[in-house]
Amino acid sequence: MISRLSQLMTSTTERLQLADGLAPLLIRLYLAPIMMQAGWTKFQSFDSTVAWFGNAEWGLGLPFPELMVTLAAGTELIGGLLLIPGIAVRWLSIPLLFTMLVAMLTVHWENGWLAIADSSSWLANERVMEASERLERVRAILQEHGHYEWLTGRGSVVILNNGIEFAATYAIMLLSLIFTGGGRFTSVDDLIRRRYGTPAAR
């Protein structure tokens, strides 16, 4: 019985390996527009982003802010674009992962885990719990003075907590791509590897 189960698991695993490029493909297609939008937004508001990167009082206080913004925005925009066909996926995932880690540590870390303030979550910290009072006040004001049903017709009113949740998720996905590469049969990297016999990323 155990032997049969082992054989079944082995044969199933071998069959699944034919589609092992699907997961990296889906991760790439998920991350690409996110990275591209982040880079494009930085370029669109270049001056204000530089000011935020460089100011130590109300911003990040990073050195060489113009260079930092250019590198971050270029990495996200170009890297995200090249993720779609799967070109140099392992190499591109490294600087993209670095930008996510920097964002986590410099922007989101002090806010805790949650991206949206949800006082019912077991991950809620003091900041999130305090935000719940503000949210109730916002709702009360809107219900009294605004068109509340119209305003909330496409979703509930929430308070952005800006925690590490999203950046950490993207970082984990990029780390996965560093190990898997672009994906077998689903990336330009793998096409080059199979055609020219190079040890390029799958």
Side-chain angles (χ1 to χ4, degrees):
M1 179 68 174
I2 295 177
S3 177
R4 289 182 180 178
L5 284 174
S6 178
Q7 290 176 357
L8 178 62
M9 290 177 63
T10 300
S11 62
T12 302
T13 301
E14 289 175 352
R15 291 190 184 96
L16 288 174
Q17 285 178 345
L18 295 174
D20 66 3
L22 180 60
L25 171 64
L26 294 177
I27 291 174
R28 283 169 24 223
L29 296 181
Y30 181 87
L31 286 173
I34 294 170
M35 297 296 121
M36 291 168 65
Q37 181 61 53
W40 180 247
T41 300
K42 288 182 180 67
F43 275 128
Q44 278 191 312
S45 54
F46 187 82
D47 291 338
S48 59
T49 306
V50 167
W52 181 59
F53 267 48
N55 194 292
E57 294 182 6
W58 49 266
L60 302 180
L62 298 176
F64 312 110
E66 293 90 353
L67 177 62
M68 296 292 282
V69 172
T70 302
L71 289 175
T75 298
E76 290 169 338
L77 188 59
I78 297 172
L81 183 63
L82 293 179
L83 282 179
I84 297 174
I87 298 174
V89 171
R90 279 193 169 107
W91 293 107
L92 286 171
S93 295
I94 294 171
L96 287 172
L97 173 60
F98 180 75
T99 62
M100 290 300 103
L101 294 176
V102 170
M104 286 170 59
L105 294 174
T106 60
V107 180
H108 306 288
W109 186 266
E110 63 180 359
N111 300 330
W113 175 263
L114 296 174
I116 304 296
D118 178 8
S119 59
S120 66
S121 172
W122 65 277
L123 294 167
N125 57 15
E126 184 178 339
R127 173 188 170 93
V128 171
M129 297 304 294
E130 191 269 341
S132 65
E133 182 180 347
R134 298 171 185 262
L135 180 59
E136 289 307 313
R137 182 62 179 148
V138 167
R139 287 173 176 162
I141 292 171
L142 290 176
Q143 287 169 351
E144 183 178 354
H145 301 289
H147 301 282
Y148 188 75
E149 296 299 326
W150 180 80
L151 289 171
T152 59
R154 294 294 183 266
S156 301
V157 176
V158 298
I159 291 181
L160 180 65
N161 184 57
N162 210 22
I164 68 170
E165 182 177 358
F166 293 154
T169 302
Y170 304 150
I172 291 169
M173 296 170 79
L174 288 163
L175 181 64
S176 175
L177 288 178
I178 291 173
F179 287 101
T180 65
R184 185 166 56 164
F185 306 129
T186 63
S187 66
V188 172
D189 286 346
D190 185 65
L191 175 65
I192 293 172
R193 182 188 66 82
R194 287 186 288 110
R195 181 163 185 174
Y196 297 103
T198 65
R202 293 196 303 175

